[in-house]
Amino acid sequence: MEIKDPTSYADPAQGKIKHIDFRIGVDFSTRTLEIEARYQLQESVQGSLYLDSFKIDLEGARTDGRELDWEFDAKDDILGERLHLKGLEGASAFTLVFRTSPEARALQWLNPTQTAGGNYPFLYSQCQAIHARSVFPCQDTPSVRFTYSAEVEVPQGLTAVMAAEQVAVREGSGHGHARIFSFKMPQPIPSYLFALAAGNLVFWELGPRTGIYAEPKTIEAAAWEFAENETKIIEAEKLLGPYLWGRYDLLVLPPSFPYGGMENPRLTFLTPTAILGTRGHTSLITHELAHAWTGNLVTNATWQDFWLNEGWTTYAETRITEVLEGKEVTELHAAYNEKQLIANMERIGMDSPLTRLKLPADAKDADSLAPIVPYYKGCYFLQECEYAVGRERFDAFIQTYMSRFQFQSLTTEAFLDFLKTELPEVFEKVDVHTWIYEPGLPEEWHKPKSRLFDEVQQVLNDYQQDNKPTREQIQDWHRYQTLSFLRGLPKQIPVEDCRYFEDILELEKKNDVAFFSHFYATCVASGYKEILPRIEEFLKKIGRMLYILPVVRAMIETDWSREYVRSLFERVRDRHHQITVNAIEVLLKKAGL
Ligand code: BES
Ligand code: ZN
C-alpha cells in the first residue's frame, strides 16, 4: 500500500527515485548551487512523474537524448511547487539541469564575518523536514529512499563535505571554482538526510570510525569535547545492533545553525554551542548518534509519525546515557524534560491535537509543529512499554525491530502492528491507544523521580520563603540541576535577584546557551530592562531555536519588551537561517507584530 504524505506532492505510485548522480557547483557570489542531476527510477515510468520543488530555476529536463515536457503546475507557500514531468513513456532515467534560489529554504549562505575564522564564507544545508526540495527536485517524503553520488566544486581554500563517503578530491577547471570533492552514499536514504556544507574546514581523527570537521579555530576544543564518541558508538551498538553507516563524524557549524544537532548520516551537523569545555552536553551527540538507527535506518514514513524518529531516539539516548553517566543523571534529565514537556503542552493546549503522538494530517508546516512532544512523550511511552515486559524482553524487541525494518520507513500503525505481534502483553498493561492518539498525557504512568532534581526543588522552595541559596550551596551542581533551577524560578523575580543568580551561578563564565535561554526569559518577565543589549547580542549570534524562541516568546508576552521585539528581530534577521527566520515570523505575526 502506498503511503499518503500530506507534506509532499509526490505520488510514489507513479514510480520511485532509486538513485541520483549530482554535479554541483557552489557559487557564493550569487548564493546559488548550479546542479546537473541524473535520476534513476526503481522501474520505468509511463506518463507523468510529480516531484517536489521549492523556487528551483529549472533550465531543462531530458531523457535518452530527448527533451522532456515539464511544468510547475501546483503551488503552495509551504509545500513549494509541484514539478510535473510529462510523457516519460517508459523511461527509467532522466536528467535535470537547474539552479537553486538564493532563498532556498534548506541553505544558509554565510559571510566570512559569521564564521569563527572570519576569512572564508560558509554554506550548509538543513533539509529536515521538507527542505530538500529547495536543493533539488525530488520525492520529498521520508517514505522514498535513494542512493546517490555527487561531485561538488568549491572555490579555492574551501572544503566540501557531505553526509556521505568521501571518495576523491581533485583540482577543478573553471575559473573561481578550484576543487572538486566526490562522494557516494551507497545506503539508501530519505531525501531529508541529504546534506552538504562548504567552508574553511579541517579534519581531526578521534578514533577508527570517528572524527571531526571544524574550522581551524574550533577544531581543538571540539576534539577535546567530543573525544568519547568512539565509546558512544560501542555502547549504542550494544543496545541497537551493528552500526551500518561506516564512519561517524561530526561537522561543527557556525552558531547560527538552527538546531542542536542534525543526524545527517555519517556526518552529524552540530551547533558549536555544544562545546562547553566540560563535556557537559555530549548527550546531544548520543542523541544524534542514536538516530543512525532510530530515524536513519528505521524511518518515520510521514512527519505525522515523527515520534517514531524522535521518541525512539530520546529513549535510546536515555538508555545510553544511563550506561555512560549513571542512573542519577538520567533520572535528573528525565525530571527536567518532564517539566519542559508539560510547560510545552500547556502552551499549545493540553487538548490540542498537536500534543498527540500521531500528529494530525493538516499540520503541513513541520518546522513549527510542537517541537518537544514527540521527543519526551514518545520516550515516556516507550519506557512504559519497557516496564510492561521488563528490560530484557524489551531489549530483544529493540534489536528485532531494528533488523526487521532496516532501510525502511514505517507508519505509527505499522509499528503498533509489529509491537502487537512481538509483545502483545504491552497492550494489556499500557493504554497504547491513549498514548498514541489522545492529546496530553495519560493519568497514570511512571513519572520521573530524581533525587538531584528534588534537591533543586528544595532550594527553589526555600527561595519562595525568602531564603536565597548561597554560592557554596549550588557550586557543585550538575548542569541539569542548574537548568532545573533556572527553569523552576518564579516567572517574575526582583531584578537584583536576577543579578545575584547570574553571579553565584557564574553564568558568564560557563557560557552555556541553555542557561541564558532560561535566564533571559526570566530577566525579560522581571522587567530587567538593562539586559536588552545583551539579548540582542545573543539573538544576533545564536541560531539554535530551542534556546532563542523562549526568549523571543518572553519578549512578546511581556508588556515593556513587546514594542522592541520586531525592530530587534529586523536587526538580527539576516544573521539567521531561513528556518529560524520563518519560525520567529510565525511567533511575531501570531502576536500581531
Ligand atoms: N532531527 C532533529 C532536528 C530536527 C527536528 C530538524 C525537526 C528539523 C526538524 C535532531 O535530532 C534533534 O532532535 N535535535 C535536537 C537535540 C536533541 C538533543 C533534543 C535539537 O536540535 O534541539
Ligand atoms: Zn532528534
Side-chain angles (χ1 to χ4, degrees):
M1 199 188 72
E2 292 301 341
I3 292 154
K4 183 73 205 110
D5 181 347
T7 65
S8 169
Y9 282 123
D11 175 5
Q14 295 170 327
K16 289 189 184 132
I17 295 170
K18 182 174 98 182
H19 180 84
I20 310 178
D21 292 303
F22 293 98
R23 284 177 51 203
I24 303 175
V26 179
D27 187 347
F28 280 93
S29 66
T30 59
R31 298 193 155 189
T32 60
L33 301 176
E34 199 178 332
I35 302 182
E36 182 177 305
R38 182 166 189 278
Y39 297 72
Q40 291 172 41
L41 298 161
Q42 296 280 13
E43 58 271 313
S44 61
V45 171
Q46 295 295 339
S48 296
L49 187 69
Y50 301 150
L51 299 179
D52 294 297
S53 73
F54 183 87
K55 298 195 179 178
I56 293 284
D57 181 6
L58 185 62
E59 201 176 287
R62 56 175 196 269
T63 180
D64 299 330
R66 72 180 168 93
E67 294 296 315
L68 266 181
D69 245 5
W70 55 269
E71 187 186 2
F72 290 111
D73 63 357
K75 187 175 161 49
D76 177 275
D77 282 350
I78 293 166
L79 302 188
E81 297 87 41
R82 180 169 84 172
L83 172 59
H84 181 173
L85 301 177
K86 301 176 181 176
L88 277 112
E89 289 167 20
S92 56
F94 59 90
T95 299
L96 303 180
V97 180
F98 55 94
R99 253 180 199 280
T100 60
S101 160
E103 286 146 46
R105 280 218 180 122
L107 303 176
Q108 191 181 10
W109 300 85
L110 297 158
N111 295 320
T113 56
Q114 289 168 274
T115 66
N119 294 319
Y120 293 88
F122 203 105
L123 162 72
Y124 72 90
S125 67
Q126 166 58 43
C127 289
Q128 194 181 11
I130 58 165
H131 307 308
R133 64 191 68 181
S134 71
V135 184
F136 57 103
C138 57
Q139 294 173 310
D140 201 3
T141 164
S143 63
V144 173
R145 307 178 88 91
F146 58 92
T147 54
Y148 72 86
S149 80
E151 294 206 330
V152 184
E153 190 162 356
V154 292
Q156 187 69 46
L158 298 192
T159 293
V161 291
M162 289 193 84
E165 181 184 343
Q166 197 190 103
V167 286
V169 187
R170 62 178 206 275
E171 295 305 308
S173 51
H175 57 272
H177 283 148
R179 281 210 291 174
I180 300 177
F181 293 80
S182 312
F183 304 90
K184 67 169 191 219
M185 176 37 94
Q187 289 96 347
I189 56 147
S191 54
Y192 79 90
L193 293 176
F194 175 95
L196 110 164
N200 177 27
L201 297 170
V202 288
F203 179 73
W204 184 300
E205 191 171 292
L206 292 174
R209 285 183 287 183
T210 50
I212 306 187
Y213 290 93
E215 290 188 63
K217 232 178 149 169
T218 328
I219 191 82
E220 220 164 307
W224 184 83
E225 195 83 24
F226 307 119
E228 288 152 2
N229 281 5
E230 200 74 35
T231 322
K232 284 189 193 282
I233 304 192
I234 294 165
E235 277 316 316
E237 284 186 309
K238 288 185 199 156
L239 182 71
L240 298 158
Y243 181 75
L244 297 176
W245 302 89
R247 296 196 55 85
Y248 180 72
D249 295 323
L250 302 179
L251 170 65
V252 181
L253 291 167
S256 64
F257 184 53
Y259 295 100
M262 174 65 214
E263 66 272 24
N264 295 316
R266 298 175 64 100
L267 185 64
T268 283
F269 282 26
L270 193 73
T271 174
T273 64
I275 305 172
L276 295 172
T278 59
R279 296 184 182 160
H281 192 18
T282 68
S283 61
L284 172 60
I285 309 291
T286 310
H287 178 97
E288 305 312 333
L289 171 65
H291 270 305
W293 291 265
T294 50
N296 299 5
L297 200 57
V298 179
T299 309
N300 53 207
T302 77
W303 300 115
Q304 290 170 261
D305 309 299
F306 188 48
W307 80 275
L308 283 179
N309 276 18
E310 297 299 344
W312 263 109
T313 299
T314 306
Y315 173 82
E317 172 197 337
T318 304
R319 292 289 307 275
I320 298 163
T321 305
E322 187 180 312
V323 178
L324 296 175
E325 297 182 46
K327 215 170 164 60
E328 287 237 291
V329 170
T330 19
E331 286 168 352
L332 172 61
H333 284 202
Y336 171 80
N337 292 341
E338 187 210 359
K339 297 285 179 259
Q340 290 282 80
L341 173 63
I342 290 170
N344 193 260
M345 283 180 165
E346 280 170 352
R347 186 158 49 70
I348 24 188
M350 271 296 178
D351 47 12
S352 159
L354 293 176
T355 65
R356 293 183 201 152
L357 283 180
K358 176 84 182 191
L359 291 165
D362 55 1
K364 280 188 303 184
D365 183 3
D367 291 336
S368 54
L369 287 179
I372 68 174
V373 172
Y375 291 72
Y376 303 131
K377 186 176 174 183
C379 172
Y380 298 142
F381 165 62
L382 292 167
Q383 283 173 346
E384 290 301 302
C385 298
E386 180 203 312
Y387 298 142
V389 297
R391 184 162 278 191
E392 207 176 307
R393 290 195 53 211
F394 198 68
D395 283 359
F397 168 74
I398 297 173
Q399 302 249 346
T400 326
Y401 175 46
M402 289 299 122
S403 60
R404 165 70 182 74
F405 290 98
Q406 63 176 35
F407 298 111
Q408 291 178 40
S409 308
L410 81 167
T411 59
T412 299
E413 290 67 31
F415 172 72
L416 294 181
D417 284 348
F418 184 69
L419 183 64
K420 195 153 215 169
T421 321
E422 297 292 315
L423 297 174
E425 306 93 297
V426 165
F427 289 77
E428 288 155 26
K429 297 193 181 152
V430 181
D431 187 352
V432 176
H433 187 274
T434 299
W435 274 99
I436 303 282
Y437 295 105
E438 296 296 330
L441 282 165
E443 289 282 301
E444 287 200 28
W445 59 289
H446 299 75
K447 300 192 179 77
K449 285 198 190 71
S450 157
R451 185 184 67 79
L452 297 175
F453 186 85
D454 292 345
E455 228 175 82
V456 175
Q457 199 52 54
Q458 189 54 51
V459 174
L460 284 164
N461 294 345
D462 291 348
Y463 174 58
Q464 298 268 33
Q465 308 300 315
D466 252 358
N467 285 323
K468 288 205 229 2
T470 62
R471 190 183 294 270
E472 291 65 42
Q473 233 176 317
I474 50 102
Q475 69 189 5
D476 294 325
W477 269 359
H478 185 277
R479 176 172 182 262
Y480 268 80
Q481 286 184 293
T482 306
L483 281 172
S484 303
F485 177 78
L486 289 168
R487 83 154 300 283
L489 281 171
K491 196 166 154 67
Q492 286 177 330
I493 60 174
V495 168
E496 63 270 20
D497 288 1
C498 293
R499 295 205 185 91
Y500 177 75
F501 291 136
E502 174 166 31
D503 177 40
I504 63 162
L505 292 165
E506 301 182 338
L507 298 187
E508 203 73 67
K509 189 172 124 204
K510 291 182 185 141
N511 197 23
D512 187 325
V513 181
F515 294 165
F516 281 112
S517 176
H518 289 305
F519 179 67
Y520 287 149
T522 303
C523 290
V524 168
S526 305
Y528 185 177
K529 297 187 182 168
E530 296 74 26
I531 207 79
L532 207 53
R534 285 173 57 195
I535 292 184
E536 180 156 345
E537 276 314 299
F538 181 75
L539 296 179
K540 199 185 227 168
K541 190 163 171 222
I542 308 299
R544 187 172 178 188
M545 291 194 288
L546 182 66
Y547 296 142
I548 63 176
L549 296 185
V551 179
V552 174
R553 243 182 244 118
M555 286 192 72
I556 291 173
E557 284 163 10
T558 310
D559 285 341
W560 74 268
S561 51
R562 230 178 112 84
E563 58 173 307
Y564 297 109
V565 61
R566 167 58 79 179
S567 54
L568 192 158
F569 170 59
E570 292 306 331
R571 289 195 294 279
V572 304
R573 171 187 202 111
D574 68 351
R575 318 279 298 187
H576 288 285
H577 193 285
Q578 310 266 356
I579 293 174
T580 319
V581 170
N582 286 344
I584 296 180
E585 274 295 354
V586 167
L587 292 182
L588 293 175
K589 290 215 175 102
K590 237 190 244 159
L593 292 167

